[in-house]
Structure formats: structure tokens, C-alpha cells
Amino acid sequence: MSIIKRPILTEKSQDLQKGGQYVFEVANKTNKIEIAKEIKKMYGVEVTAVNTLRQFGKKKSRSTRTKVTSGITSTFKKAIVTIAKGEVIDFYDGI
């Protein structure tokens, strides 16, 4: 299983990229050292800091014609990675 699942591309994460910070969804059991090594290996950039947080699942419900269905979204872990000044990660390179 891969440590880095996907980059998170939202308006807030796009603003963070201007300051050299990138947001990734990572596996729940990984630590900051493993995340930094994987980012360096995947993108070839120097990582200066890694901040992690767990995004807990939210309750969701929807109404159908006959009943109301409810459930919970999945809990996942996010990593905000700060890279060295002057380096850039280009997510849209191969498109």
C-alpha cells in the first residue's frame, strides 16, 4: 500500500501552494518521517516540515422516495508538506 494516496486540490490548498506548502491525503498509520521520505522520492524536492491531521468522518443523510438513508464518510489523514524555498511540485505535468 502506498503512503501517499493523492494530492488534495482545493481552494485553500491552492492558496497554501503559493507559500510552498502542499496538501496530501496519506495512509492512516504513517508518520511524518515516512511522509517526508516518500515526497522526496516521488517528486525530488527537499522537505523542510510536515504537519499532519486526521479528518474525522462526517454524518451524511439523504432522502429517497421511501426512506431516509444515513451514514458516515470515511476518516482519513492529511499531511501539509512544506518544501524548500524555490522548489515547486507540478501536479499538472503529464496532462
Side-chain angles (χ1 to χ4, degrees):
M1 186 169 126
S2 177
I3 293 173
I4 307 293
K5 292 184 179 179
R6 66 182 178 98
I8 297 176
L9 301 174
T10 60
E11 289 182 29
K12 191 172 184 178
S13 69
Q14 295 292 324
D15 286 340
L16 287 174
Q17 286 180 10
K18 296 173 187 170
Q21 293 183 323
Y22 295 87
V23 184
F24 295 93
E25 182 179 341
V26 296
N28 286 333
K29 301 268 183 178
T30 58
N31 59 30
K32 294 179 181 185
I33 297 167
E34 293 171 342
I35 293 168
K37 286 180 183 177
E38 187 72 17
I39 293 293
K40 186 172 183 176
K41 186 172 81 175
M42 285 177 70
Y43 297 106
V45 294
E46 189 64 37
V47 177
T48 57
V50 177
N51 298 328
T52 59
L53 61 104
R54 289 184 58 210
Q55 182 73 45
F56 292 103
K58 299 176 185 176
K59 292 181 182 177
K60 299 278 186 171
S61 63
R62 66 176 185 180
S63 300
T64 61
R65 198 179 284 184
T66 58
K67 62 181 178 178
V68 174
T69 305
S70 63
I72 300 175
T73 60
S74 299
T75 298
F76 61 94
K77 189 172 188 177
K78 282 199 265 189
I80 301 171
V81 178
T82 306
I83 61 173
K85 201 166 205 122
E87 296 192 14
V88 176
I89 296 174
D90 187 16
F91 295 121
Y92 306 107
D93 188 27
I95 299 175

